[in-house]
């Protein structure tokens, strides 16, 4: 009945359009189910460079992933030192000082 009303070529076009829509729906469902790739969840383990010395409370600033973050460390930090992110607490990163030999090995988890 459809072939009589629309013709054979229109039926092929409608079938192809249906397949494209089905494929688009499957891709959308798969994208919706996958986890977010990025954000602050991937910060722990990343390396950064200290940009300002620590103050009396142990807070400093460091360049991590191309962004300046407020960091806190148990030891005093000085500009140019390399740190590794241990955990994220709000907008402050808890870091640890990285030995120079670890940086040369390229350990950036």
């Amino acid at each position: 009945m459809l072939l009589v009303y629309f013709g054979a070529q229109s039926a092929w076009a409608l079938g192809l359009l249906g397949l494209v829509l089905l494929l688009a729906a499957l891709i959308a469902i798969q994208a919706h189910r996958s986890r977010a790739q990025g954000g602050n969840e991937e910060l722990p383990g990343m390396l950064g460079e200290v940009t300002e010395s620590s103050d009396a409370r142990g807070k400093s600033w460091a360049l991590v992933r191309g962004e300046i973050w407020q960091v806190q460390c148990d030891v005093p930090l000085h500009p140019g030192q390399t740190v590794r992110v241990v955990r994220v607490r709000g907008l402050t990163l808890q870091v640890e000082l990285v030995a120079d030999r670890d940086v040369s090995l390229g350990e950036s988890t």
Side-chain angles (χ1 to χ4, degrees):
M1 183 91 162
L2 264 175
L3 291 175
V4 173
Y5 186 72
F6 289 110
Q9 290 164 345
S10 296
W12 278 103
L14 287 174
L16 185 60
L17 179 63
L19 286 175
V20 169
L21 290 176
L22 179 65
L23 180 63
L26 290 174
I27 291 173
I29 290 170
Q30 183 180 8
H32 183 68
R33 287 183 179 172
S34 66
R35 291 188 58 162
Q37 302 289 324
N40 294 346
E41 296 83 22
E42 66 182 22
L43 281 172
M46 289 190 141
L47 296 178
E49 182 180 343
V50 177
T51 58
E52 287 186 28
S53 297
S54 299
D55 61 9
R57 296 174 297 167
K59 295 200 177 203
S60 180
W61 296 89
L63 180 68
V64 179
R65 198 180 61 186
E67 301 170 340
I68 301 290
W69 288 85
Q70 185 174 23
V71 297
Q72 183 157 7
C73 188
D74 297 334
V75 297
L77 299 173
H78 303 288
Q81 289 181 315
T82 303
V83 291
R84 178 177 288 119
V85 178
V86 178
R87 102 179 109 258
V88 180
R89 288 191 173 169
L91 295 177
T92 303
L93 305 178
Q94 185 72 32
V95 298
E96 63 184 6
L97 191 59
V98 175
D100 290 336
R101 72 174 176 84
D102 290 343
V103 175
S104 63
L105 292 175
E107 292 185 356
S108 63
T109 316

